[in-house]
Amino acid sequence: MRTQPTAVHVRPRHRRAPAVAGFMLVAALLLNGCGSSSGDNSAGQDDSDGQVELLFFNQSRGQEETLTALAADYEEQTGVSVTIESPGPGNYLQDLQSRAQADRMPDLYSATDPFEMAPYFNAGWAMELTSELDGEWEETFSPAAVDLWRFADGNNLGVPEGIYSVHWETALYAMLVAESTGISPDAPPETMSEFTARLSEEDAQFSVAASLTPRLLMSYASNFMTDEELEATLAGDAGWETDAWRDTFQLLIDLRDAGVIASDEIPGGTEDNPGVEQSFFNVRDVEAIFDGTFGIGVQRATAPEFTEYFSTGVPAADNGTHEPRAVARRGRGAVVNPKGEHPEEALAFARWLTEPEQQQVFSDEVGMIPTSAELLDSGSISPELEGFAALAEDAQVLPGAFMAADVEDAIARASQSLVLGEISVEEALAQVQAAQDQSS
Amino acid sequence: MTTQLRHTRVGTSAVPRRRIRAKHRKNLIGWLFLLPAVALIATFTIVPFFQAILLSFQSWDGISPDIPFVGFENYDRVLQDEIFWASMRNVLAFGLIGFVVGNSVALVMALAVTRVKRGQAFFRTAFYLPGVFSVVVVGTMFLWIFQPRVGILNTLLGAVGLENLQQNWLGDPSTALLSVAATFVWYHWGFAFILFLAGLQDIPRELYEAASLDGARSWAKFRYVTWPQLAPVTSIVSVLTLLAALQIFGTVQVLTYGGPGYNTMVPTLHIYIEAFTNNRYGTAAAMSVLFGGALVVLALVQLAVAGRRLRR
């Protein structure tokens, strides 16, 4: 019995050293992996021969190819190398946040919605560009576009007054209507009741993704409120439970009661708008949708043969008291990281991307409404975008307040429940108000 | 006295001391083997767990270097959050359906496959296959199945003359939760099936032969042989499947994102939205602590009940 344990002790002793060494090696590798120096991945490096290398963290898949090609052109012209990294729209914010937490922010990054970007701007990860935009550079842009980039003093996100991003696109939201409805782009319905009646006559269906209902309702709300009043609601200074908002949300009930909402529902889920676009562009079982300018890029990529449709503004409310104004957002653009290795070179690249020549490339390749005054004046916008472009000059400008993510989510969900008949307009507004209170 | 005693012990117990040293060496080697795993668990589980508890008392937007303490403010906010409690009610429904329906289907299929003479390997593979797919693939697949206008399910129902059963499966609150739960069960039951199958194959045949000799029929054999013999497997499967159902996330995220309205909202998705969309990491952490705590309590209760059953 005693020999057995001895044997057991002796034989592994020969193997112990390699085993322990092996574990030490694994542990060392793990620890090394966990603690790899940030310098390995840091953005904006000088390579061995002194060439400047910039990193652009890009959110939009649609512009990735064009942006990469433009970056290659830029390197040829200036010798500055720009790497375009595109984690995909779904992962973009999480990846950017990880980079901020690890102090590995890129030299330039895409600017998404103000609410999403505000923490970065407040933490000093964005160059304030007001002084840069004074003068010559600003004059290259449409004034309406630049107005959309501003954060006013005392805004609800706590971002110091200024401009923190430049854009080569203005995103607008409007109706896309198939010509099969019999509605002509030359004489689109002027009021919502006329629009609904025309759809109903043709047995045509309308759809809007839950995630876009806040934009649709903001567009429609402009029939009843000024920009200042809209801004006051978003800032939490005015309530949601008002007659103007009741009239706004009533739109969904009216559309439902007219029987024009496809499947009697507002589709939700993470892929809600792609689903709506697919129904309109590909399956074509829906004849009118509310969408953004980015939808045109989807049509070009997935259904290039389908061109029998046009874009037009959301028709006016019959009982509106103001001229309706479309919702416009900052489209694709860039934020310059002032804490990067080469902020001046990064700014120069952003500036170059916004020049009319480059904006023309974006416009041709991606399909977007440019911010360049020269291009907008030249009338070189594709026909599908004309309806959108017509809305740009009179779009809503709300630099003092931005819709909180909670409120957007609450509007989207309340809209779904309203159409399903689960809740009343009053209850929907109460839900949105609760979300507004939660966000402040 | 002490010295004397020690001398005596040293003198008379040289062999046991060697054994103790050898035992310590064995222990040391054991710990060395465990070290990487312990280090990884500490780094990626224990430290984040305590960090989450700490964060639940702080306010953080995910980016700002300032993370002020806010006391119980986050918990107060969660306790007043109607959506969070609605999501808790929804997840209980998912848990019950996943637990009862999922495990019943898995057990029945495992029983059926053990009786099959030929093609066991095929059925094992076929039934386990759903669990191999990515949740995004499964979600996309079921989006097409449940699509109201051109979806496979409604098309099939229409083809066989059952138009009155056609539904807006994911868009109607009365069917959305059940549709998501059905997808979840389909996706996850293969795991319970494999465990039940392994448990069934471990039951000695002699027990069934003895039961047959005693005149037991199928139900009696299941009631008095199969079910008691499966008790250890049932316990572990119950805990794992219930916890998996309560932590449902991907299926809901892809299929409905908690909608329509909040009809399929679950705590994990609500926590995700609170952190990554609303940038309120403190509140999300408070929700995680409350929800995680509830899961731990539930798992302990379930294990205690299962343990009592095993001892009987």
Side-chain angles (χ1 to χ4, degrees), chain B residues 29-52:
Chain B
I29 292 167
W31 277 107
L32 273 174
F33 273 94
L34 281 174
L35 191 64
V38 170
L40 287 172
I41 289 169
T43 310
F44 296 110
T45 306
I46 297 171
V47 173
F49 175 75
F50 285 106
Q51 272 184 332

Side-chain angles (χ1 to χ4, degrees), chain A residues 97 263 285 406 413 438, chain B residues 77 149 257 261 272 280-281:
Chain A
Q97 196 176 67
S263 302
D285 57 347
D406 308 59
R413 292 178 191 283
Q438 178 110 339
Chain B
R77 194 181 192 124
R149 290 184 296 277
Y257 205 63
Y272 174 85
R280 284 193 295 262
Y281 283 78

Side-chain angles (χ1 to χ4, degrees), chain A residues 31-116:
Chain A
L31 290 171
N32 186 42
C34 292
S36 65
S37 74
S38 61
D40 293 343
N41 297 311
S42 63
Q45 297 173 345
D46 279 330
D47 72 4
S48 54
D49 57 4
Q51 191 198 17
V52 174
E53 290 181 6
L54 301 175
L55 174 65
F56 189 119
F57 208 57
N58 167 48
Q59 184 259 357
S60 162
R61 269 211 208 292
Q63 70 170 3
E64 183 182 359
E65 205 177 311
T66 309
L67 193 55
T68 306
L70 285 170
D73 287 350
Y74 188 69
E75 184 174 4
E76 270 181 30
Q77 290 176 26
T78 64
V80 173
S81 158
V82 185
T83 304
I84 309 296
E85 198 172 309
S86 303
N91 295 330
Y92 175 73
L93 282 175
Q94 282 91 326
D95 284 11
L96 189 67
Q97 196 176 67
S98 307
R99 284 180 163 274
Q101 288 166 6
D103 208 9
R104 292 191 302 116
M105 282 293 275
D107 301 286
L108 301 110
Y109 54 97
S110 295
T112 60
D113 277 346
F115 188 82
E116 292 164 347

Side-chain angles (χ1 to χ4, degrees), chain A residues 392-415:
Chain A
E393 286 302 314
D394 298 317
Q396 296 172 22
V397 180
L398 316 172
F402 304 88
M403 192 178 279
D406 308 59
V407 178
E408 284 210 19
D409 190 55
I411 292 177
R413 292 178 191 283
S415 301

Side-chain angles (χ1 to χ4, degrees), chain B residues 94 97-106 109 123-146 152 177-194 241 244-245 248 251 255:
Chain B
F94 279 122
I97 296 170
F99 180 73
V100 177
V101 179
N103 287 341
S104 303
V105 171
M109 298 315 281
F123 287 114
R124 268 203 310 264
T125 312
F127 292 158
Y128 190 69
L129 202 59
V132 175
F133 297 134
S134 143
V135 69
V136 179
V137 172
V138 171
T140 310
M141 210 161 78
F142 274 84
L143 273 177
W144 274 108
I145 291 173
F146 290 133
I152 297 165
L177 194 138
L178 289 174
S179 304
V180 176
T183 309
F184 180 82
V185 167
W186 180 85
Y187 184 34
H188 283 91
W189 72 275
F191 171 71
F193 162 79
I194 286 289
T241 51
I248 182 171
T251 322
L255 286 179

Side-chain angles (χ1 to χ4, degrees), chain B residues 2-305:
Chain B
T2 317
T3 319
Q4 266 185 340
L5 185 63
R6 199 189 303 148
H7 276 295
T8 313
R9 288 184 67 180
V10 167
T12 56
S13 60
V15 174
R17 273 200 99 178
R18 268 209 306 276
R19 275 191 195 160
I20 289 167
R21 269 207 301 273
K23 199 176 164 188
H24 282 164
R25 264 202 300 274
K26 267 176 111 176
N27 276 343
L28 184 68
I29 292 167
W31 277 107
L32 273 174
F33 273 94
L34 281 174
L35 191 64
V38 170
L40 287 172
I41 289 169
T43 310
F44 296 110
T45 306
I46 297 171
V47 173
F49 175 75
F50 285 106
Q51 272 184 332
I53 293 176
L54 178 69
L55 189 57
S56 71
F57 295 101
Q58 296 172 312
S59 174
W60 190 43
D61 63 10
I63 305 295
S64 170
D66 303 320
I67 312 174
F69 269 91
V70 292
F72 284 93
E73 200 179 285
N74 292 326
Y75 286 95
D76 191 36
R77 194 181 192 124
V78 176
L79 292 176
Q80 291 176 36
D81 183 353
E82 287 176 20
I83 302 163
F84 179 71
W85 296 110
S87 73
M88 290 290 257
R89 285 193 292 277
N90 289 339
V91 87
L92 276 180
F94 279 122
L96 272 175
I97 296 170
F99 180 73
V100 177
V101 179
N103 287 341
S104 303
V105 171
L107 180 58
V108 169
M109 298 315 281
L111 283 167
V113 170
T114 46
R115 292 182 179 207
V116 167
K117 301 283 182 226
R118 283 184 182 179
Q120 266 203 14
F122 167 77
F123 287 114
R124 268 203 310 264
T125 312
F127 292 158
Y128 190 69
L129 202 59
V132 175
F133 297 134
S134 143
V135 69
V136 179
V137 172
V138 171
T140 310
M141 210 161 78
F142 274 84
L143 273 177
W144 274 108
I145 291 173
F146 290 133
Q147 215 279 339
R149 290 184 296 277
V150 291
I152 297 165
L153 186 53
N154 278 352
T155 307
L156 276 177
L157 287 170
V160 295
L162 295 172
E163 289 89 353
N164 55 336
L165 291 182
Q166 288 177 335
Q167 302 283 337
N168 185 352
W169 300 100
L170 296 171
D172 186 335
S174 62
T175 52
L177 194 138
L178 289 174
S179 304
V180 176
T183 309
F184 180 82
V185 167
W186 180 85
Y187 184 34
H188 283 91
W189 72 275
F191 171 71
F193 162 79
I194 286 289
L195 290 184
F196 278 133
L197 195 65
L200 287 169
Q201 286 171 348
D202 274 352
I203 299 174
R205 309 311 309 164
E206 296 80 8
L207 294 177
Y208 289 108
E209 287 164 12
S212 294
L213 288 174
D214 287 341
R217 288 169 182 260
S218 295
W219 170 247
K221 281 182 193 168
F222 176 77
R223 170 77 181 80
Y224 297 106
V225 179
T226 309
W227 187 243
Q229 291 291 316
L230 268 184
V233 176
T234 314
S235 305
I236 197 71
V237 167
S238 301
V239 173
L240 293 178
T241 51
L242 183 64
L243 289 180
L246 292 175
Q247 292 177 68
I248 182 171
F249 174 75
T251 322
V252 177
Q253 194 199 22
V254 178
L255 286 179
T256 60
Y257 205 63
Y262 297 98
N263 285 289
T264 56
M265 181 59 81
V266 287
T268 45
L269 181 60
H270 191 45
I271 291 166
Y272 174 85
I273 292 172
E274 191 67 6
F276 294 105
T277 307
N278 299 338
N279 295 329
R280 284 193 295 262
Y281 283 78
T283 319
M287 286 178 188
S288 304
V289 169
L290 290 175
F291 181 58
L295 288 188
V296 169
V297 169
L298 197 67
L300 289 176
V301 168
Q302 206 181 354
L303 283 173
V305 171

